[in-house]
Amino acid sequence: MEQDTQTPALPVAEEFRNRVILKAAKITKVEKHPGGTMLYILTLDAGEPEPRQIVSSIVPFYTEEELLGKTIVLVYNLKPANFRGVRSNGMLLAASDPSVTDHETCEVLFVPQFAPGTVLEPEDLTPPKEQLCYVKPEKFFSMPLYAKDGFVEVGGKKIGADGIWLTAHVYVNGAVG
């Protein structure tokens, strides 16, 4: 008789905490991508000495003026990728309408309540002591984030810092990614 030698799976919130770094980041520059009509190139202050750049497909939903100076949630350790020749070092978080399946809705999660560089964690969990490596997009999306009654959660735990929670205001129930 064979024994099951697999280790038991961690709860989703713990696995998320062990794999993903979310940081507040302020948008300091917004440019339209020269090779993509749906793409912005965003320069971010994530509380580090050097700025960070991401590419995001939110042109249909936000003007440059609506984004500039706003603080967003950055998936800080998402594996870098190139979008039409421009390197993206992370991804912003946005909520969407659960009744629409074709990326026709988008609510960027603005977080003026957090200073750039603030690390956001699932409630009651402390960040791991070791430096986390990159997380691949498919792994990130395998640990679903969602808005429930306005609060962004993973595995039933709200995400935030110091008792202040990440919230969605338009799509208060549904997927976040």
Side-chain angles (χ1 to χ4, degrees), residues 26-102:
K26 186 175 185 174
I27 301 171
T28 59
K29 185 176 179 185
V30 181
E31 306 171 70
K32 285 206 174 153
H33 191 298
T37 59
M38 307 283 266
L39 301 173
Y40 280 129
I41 301 169
L42 304 176
T43 303
L44 307 174
D45 169 4
E48 302 171 317
E50 295 295 318
R52 180 173 281 247
Q53 175 179 281
I54 65 169
V55 177
S56 187
S57 60
I58 57 173
V59 168
F61 308 104
Y62 291 92
T63 65
E64 294 176 41
E65 296 75 25
E66 289 173 312
L67 296 168
L68 188 61
K70 297 288 193 329
T71 303
I72 60 167
V73 179
L74 170 68
V75 182
Y76 180 79
N77 67 325
L78 192 70
K79 186 176 180 182
N82 287 317
F83 290 89
R84 298 192 183 198
V86 176
R87 187 172 178 91
S88 183
N89 294 300
M91 177 182 85
L92 61 74
L93 284 187
S96 58
D97 184 338
S99 67
V100 178
T101 58
D102 207 13

Side-chain angles (χ1 to χ4, degrees), residues 94-174:
S96 58
D97 184 338
S99 67
V100 178
T101 58
D102 207 13
H103 301 291
E104 295 174 359
T105 60
C106 174
E107 175 193 356
V108 172
L109 299 179
F110 295 117
V111 290
Q113 68 271 37
F114 299 114
T118 302
V119 175
L120 307 176
E121 294 284 336
E123 65 184 318
D124 302 326
L125 297 176
T126 55
K129 302 249 186 281
E130 70 278 358
Q131 181 70 24
L132 297 181
C133 58
Y134 289 128
V135 62
K136 292 180 180 177
E138 57 272 13
K139 184 62 182 173
F140 173 76
F141 288 112
S142 76
M143 300 174 282
L145 294 170
Y146 52 92
K148 181 179 177 189
D149 298 326
F151 292 102
V152 177
E153 299 183 356
V154 62
K157 293 191 174 281
K158 294 177 188 169
I159 296 174
D162 301 320
I164 301 169
W165 307 115
L166 178 57
T167 56
H169 300 281
V170 177
Y171 303 115
V172 296
N173 290 295

